[in-house]
Amino acid sequence: MQRSGRGTSRRNLFTLMGVAAGASLLPGCSDAVADRSGAASDAQKTAGVVPKYTELRLPGLPPPDIKGKPPTPDGYLKYPELVQGVAEKPGTGGAAIKAMTPAWGALPNGVGKNAYLDGVNAQLGVVVDFSTQDGLKYNDKLNAVLGARDVPDILAIPGWEVARVPRMTEAVKALFEDLTPYLAGDAVTRYPMLATLPTGAWNASVWAGRLYAVPFPQHDAGFPWALYYRKDLFDKAGVAPPKTADELYLVGKKFTDPGRNVWAFNDVFTMVQMIFKVPNQRAHWSLDGSGKPVHRMETSEFRAAVEFTHKLYRDGLVHPDTIASKDADRDQLFASGKIVFMQNGPGSWQPTQAAQQKITAGFTIQPVPAFAADGGTPLYWGGTDPISYAFVRKGQGKARTEEILRVMNWSSAAFGTKEAFTRDWGFEGKHYKMTAGGPEKLDLGFKENASQYTFIGGGRPTIAPTPDTPDYPRQVIEWGIATARYIAEDPWAGMKFEWPARYVSVETPTEDKITDILRGRRPLSELDTVLRDWRSGGGDEGRALMAKALENKPK
């Protein structure tokens, strides 16, 4: 994600790998209640429990400068005259609202030692006391609070964590407030900012037929990954970005020069899979020619992608730091010119450009336009599920729950409102300074603002202006619209899955074995064994769930 000058990238938001597989997070809940073979629900059956989408109509609220096309949102090129979005303070001055959210990088101070939090809380009329946790270790803390049944008043759970929590439906029903009576249908009009969130994001917030969370929708172009290249270095060398797999290899070989401490790539396996058109219509599953679910690892395209990536490692085109460490600092390697291609999330594009153009004259990062290995029509993986979900602790009472929802409504303020500007930038002179092009974040802004309020609200998807990179909104929207053409139709669209415990448990060990094959620590010949072990270890249970979901889907 990228929000108005935030340095946090959505690349970071996809690095967590979930909780301990197969372990119940709710001691005391009967095993008889949960279906350990997994479960699927259909969003078509949630129409009566999700909020009714309502356009925000505020006098003076500006229209977008650039119209997007779903999944790419609209964008703005400049900051307008701000309007008041929330007429009254959400809080009643009572007890502090405890909240837990993730952050990446140095963790900010909490209330009383954080001018950003203290200033926003003064506007809210109630203290939101954030426990901000290391995003790379968030699953450990999540395990602890869910296992102890000791959740805060608001708990933010990233989407990739939700998908891996065993018996998530039972956890939700036992620990969190059913928000259906407060938000379903026209009831959401009491919270007009929440009413502007996409219906698809609300559909994903339904468990067991009831609404249990406020979603944080995606705000980028709608894609989890991109392949970036150093356009300034390519232009200097007279090299064009690749349009086939062979060109990708040859360009990588041209730039790799260990004597100058330069290599071509970080770990680009996910992008290589797209280049080789590995099917991935939903959570790595697609349908084969006979209409049966097939996992990406079972396809010939996946094998070709593994062989190509193995070749990149074998021939020394991948930076040695990437080989040595799964979490090598790709941003720094790319910024310093030690790699010229970088697989990363779209949220890294603007912060990388903004930071490095101040250090390296002419620095330019651009995504490689989508291409296929053979030069034919590309395939791209997309996804519109929320980045994160904000749950409200169960049993706080109607008045307190409504107060929390008013705070969430404030936190979801739309671009162009004073509330959204404060949420994103903080306070002038402390967290940002105004320039001719708009606000510019100061050091304290980076230290204190870790998107705490965004994680308990989110707001409607928007590409906000970036004064230090004025061309970015138009560039990312154009790239998003162009790339969206290559997303395959999802046969499971509108469905949500709670995966079988054994399927969850086998996933990470399998990925680790494939990583070993890619990097030469295991022979390519072991791929068949890895696949066979995956099937018997839980993969076939995932297949059965995907097939059953299609059988039960309304025609």
Side-chain angles (χ1 to χ4, degrees):
M1 96 186 166
Q2 186 271 321
R3 289 276 253 169
S4 305
R6 264 299 291 164
T8 302
S9 74
R10 238 183 72 203
R11 172 266 305 181
N12 293 326
L13 294 180
F14 284 90
T15 54
L16 297 182
M17 291 307 296
V19 299
S24 171
L25 293 179
L26 289 172
C29 286
S30 168
D31 284 339
V33 179
D35 180 1
R36 299 189 61 80
S37 65
S41 61
D42 195 325
Q44 294 183 37
K45 301 177 181 179
T46 67
V49 301
V50 299
K52 178 182 178 181
Y53 176 80
T54 307
E55 288 283 353
L56 186 64
R57 291 181 172 84
L58 288 174
L61 191 69
D65 297 314
I66 312 170
K67 289 296 292 182
K69 183 179 179 180
T72 304
D74 297 337
Y76 295 82
L77 298 175
K78 59 185 181 302
Y79 275 91
E81 192 72 29
L82 301 176
V83 301
Q84 191 76 34
V86 179
E88 299 179 358
K89 285 187 176 183
T92 59
I97 298 170
K98 303 284 187 180
M100 182 174 125
T101 57
W104 287 262
L107 297 181
N109 290 329
V111 294
K113 298 180 179 179
N114 185 312
Y116 169 69
L117 296 182
D118 295 343
V120 172
N121 286 340
Q123 294 191 11
L124 292 176
V126 64
V127 172
V128 183
D129 186 0
F130 286 94
S131 173
T132 308
Q133 303 294 321
D134 183 351
L136 295 177
K137 300 177 182 177
Y138 201 69
N139 54 346
D140 297 332
K141 188 65 176 179
L142 187 61
N143 250 335
V145 299
L146 293 178
R149 303 170 67 94
D150 183 22
V151 297
D153 302 323
I154 304 175
L155 177 62
I157 306 183
W160 56 95
E161 294 287 8
V162 167
R164 293 171 178 266
V165 173
R167 302 169 62 191
M168 181 64 186
T169 298
E170 291 308 308
V172 165
K173 291 165 64 178
L175 299 177
F176 302 117
E177 189 70 30
D178 178 359
L179 301 178
T180 311
Y182 300 93
L183 299 175
D186 291 330
V188 78
T189 56
R190 294 185 61 191
Y191 312 98
M193 300 299 178
L194 296 183
T196 68
L197 302 186
T199 300
W202 285 116
N203 285 336
S205 307
V206 173
W207 281 264
R210 306 293 287 179
L211 183 69
Y212 277 99
V214 171
F216 170 9
Q218 294 189 30
H219 279 254
D220 293 312
F223 310 99
W225 296 103
L227 181 64
Y228 293 101
Y229 72 107
R230 281 287 302 270
K231 185 177 185 301
D232 52 323
L233 299 180
F234 274 62
D235 290 349
K236 183 178 180 181
V239 176
K243 296 181 179 180
T244 67
D246 287 342
E247 288 182 10
L248 179 64
Y249 177 85
L250 292 174
V251 171
K253 198 168 183 63
K254 176 180 177 63
F255 275 104
T256 299
D257 186 350
R260 294 192 304 113
N261 201 23
V262 175
W263 285 262
F265 305 103
N266 70 317
D267 180 6
V268 293
F269 181 51
T270 299
M271 288 305 307
V272 169
Q273 290 178 74
M274 294 187 216
I275 290 166
F276 278 86
K277 302 179 74 167
V278 176
N280 179 17
Q281 291 160 305
R282 171 58 69 91
H284 300 318
W285 291 93
S286 60
L287 299 181
D288 64 16
S290 64
K292 295 180 179 179
V294 59
H295 194 274
R296 65 183 174 109
M297 293 190 299
E298 300 174 297
T299 66
S300 59
E301 292 88 352
F302 181 80
R303 184 176 295 273
V306 168
E307 291 173 351
F308 181 85
T309 308
H310 174 82
K311 181 181 177 183
L312 298 183
Y313 280 96
R314 183 198 66 198
D315 293 355
L317 307 187
V318 180
H319 196 282
D321 285 1
T322 298
I323 300 172
S325 171
K326 187 175 182 179
D327 296 317
D329 191 341
R330 72 191 103 181
D331 298 272
Q332 185 54 43
L333 294 175
F334 186 76
S336 62
K338 294 180 180 179
I339 58 174
V340 296
F341 288 104
M342 176 180 65
Q343 174 184 290
N344 212 337
S348 69
W349 181 353
Q350 190 276 334
T352 299
Q353 180 65 46
Q356 295 307 315
Q357 66 188 13
K358 299 176 182 178
I359 300 171
T360 303
F363 179 96
T364 307
I365 173 177
Q366 289 287 303
V368 177
F371 68 93
D374 61 1
T377 302
L379 173 73
Y380 220 90
W381 297 353
T384 57
D385 284 349
I387 292 172
S388 187
Y389 302 85
F391 296 88
V392 177
R393 181 170 57 82
K394 189 174 185 177
Q396 300 187 68
K398 184 174 184 290
R400 176 67 161 183
T401 299
E402 290 176 343
E403 179 182 38
I404 289 173
L405 288 174
R406 291 195 298 270
V407 168
M408 289 177 159
N409 180 69
W410 188 100
S411 299
S412 296
F415 175 82
T417 64
K418 295 177 180 179
E419 294 82 4
F421 190 89
T422 299
R423 175 197 63 212
D424 293 341
W425 290 98
F427 300 91
E428 187 172 6
K430 293 181 179 179
H431 304 102
Y432 71 90
K433 66 178 181 180
M434 290 301 297
T435 70
E440 182 178 314
K441 192 155 274 190
L442 301 174
D443 287 345
L444 190 63
F446 287 107
K447 290 177 181 178
E448 294 192 337
N449 182 353
S451 299
Q452 295 96 320
Y453 297 95
T454 303
F455 270 103
I456 63 171
R460 68 180 182 182
T462 301
I463 304 295
T466 53
D468 45 0
T469 56
D471 295 332
Y472 169 77
R474 189 179 303 280
Q475 290 174 339
V476 72
I477 290 172
E478 290 176 352
W479 174 78
I481 292 173
T483 306
R485 295 176 294 170
Y486 306 122
I487 299 175
E489 183 178 354
D490 178 7
W492 295 276
M495 305 192 79
K496 179 161 57 181
F497 293 89
E498 187 168 329
W499 299 104
R502 281 187 1 112
Y503 180 77
V504 174
S505 69
V506 77
E507 195 169 30
T508 297
T510 301
E511 294 286 350
D512 290 343
K513 291 173 185 176
I514 291 172
T515 297
D516 286 344
I517 292 173
L518 297 176
R519 302 185 182 194
R521 296 190 287 260
R522 292 173 182 258
L524 272 169
S525 58
E526 281 195 19
L527 186 58
D528 289 332
T529 302
V530 171
L531 180 57
R532 184 175 63 249
D533 291 346
W534 170 82
R535 286 172 175 153
S536 62
D540 283 339
E541 294 177 29
R543 185 193 324 281
L545 176 62
M546 299 300 279
K548 182 179 178 181
L550 285 180
E551 291 173 4
N552 295 335
K553 187 174 183 178
K555 304 301 182 185

